[in-house]
Amino acid sequence: MDLSDIYTQVILEHSRNQDNKRELEDYDIKEPGHNPSCGDEIELELKLDGDVIKDAAFVGHGCAISQASTSIMCDEIKGKTLEEAKEMAEIFIGMIKREDVSEEDLEKLGDGAALQNISNMPSRVKCALLAWHTLDDVIKKREE
């Protein structure tokens, strides 16, 4: 598969975009994420208003796919409830793992659906999943 098929315009924009790559001054949740197979690392920070994600940001380093996926996720979960964000994470993870995901579910991901073809590149799957697994872990910990 040609890399140009993977690095779509959305992915390129988000990998270069620094809007979400910052520390939040007054976060409610901070969760590290690490991909041991390639060394990508993030720290996801969320600011909540009740159970609504008011702001989301991250710091860290990694390849263009991990950085773009994290930035896209931050954009897409802002304004969502933790339950909605959990559903989005489950849909995204299923999409990347090539599970049957409906068009309706893909629409819930917004720009996250641009990463769908990453599933065709096994070496990049963990990169795309890093942020979404980290988000899912955060929400599961809060539910305990």
Side-chain angles (χ1 to χ4, degrees):
M1 169 168 263
D2 188 321
L3 278 179
S4 64
D5 294 336
I6 299 300
Y7 290 88
T8 64
Q9 190 63 32
V10 170
I11 295 170
L12 287 172
E13 286 174 16
H14 276 277
S15 69
R16 295 177 184 147
N17 185 343
Q18 299 295 306
D19 291 346
N20 294 319
K21 193 170 185 178
R22 59 190 164 82
E23 291 185 19
L24 294 180
E25 287 184 26
D26 191 22
Y27 60 83
D28 295 301
I29 298 171
K30 184 174 189 171
E31 184 73 18
H34 177 71
N35 179 353
S37 62
C38 68
D40 292 351
E41 292 184 347
I42 62 165
E43 282 195 341
L44 178 63
E45 298 176 347
L46 303 176
K47 177 67 179 162
L48 302 176
D49 183 4
D51 72 336
V52 174
I53 300 169
K54 186 176 179 181
D55 199 3
F58 72 101
V59 293
H61 63 276
C63 69
I65 295 294
S66 74
Q67 300 295 283
S69 183
T70 306
S71 178
I72 289 168
M73 184 195 74
C74 287
D75 273 352
E76 296 299 334
I77 64 174
K78 291 175 189 172
K80 303 284 194 284
T81 65
L82 290 171
E83 188 61 37
E84 290 169 325
K86 179 181 177 182
E87 179 185 16
M88 291 172 70
E90 290 169 355
I91 292 168
F92 186 89
I93 292 166
M95 175 188 76
I96 296 297
K97 290 183 174 182
R98 295 183 179 192
E99 295 172 3
D100 190 25
V101 178
S102 71
E103 286 298 318
E104 181 181 318
D105 281 345
L106 287 177
E107 287 178 16
K108 292 177 184 177
L109 295 178
D111 284 348
L115 292 158
Q116 187 172 15
N117 287 333
I118 297 298
S119 63
N120 297 323
M121 293 186 67
S123 64
R124 293 298 190 189
V125 165
K126 289 182 180 179
C127 303
L129 289 174
L130 175 61
W132 296 87
H133 275 304
T134 304
L135 175 65
D136 194 45
D137 290 345
V138 160
I139 295 171
K140 285 179 181 173
K141 284 180 184 177
R142 288 188 62 88
E143 292 174 341
E144 294 175 355

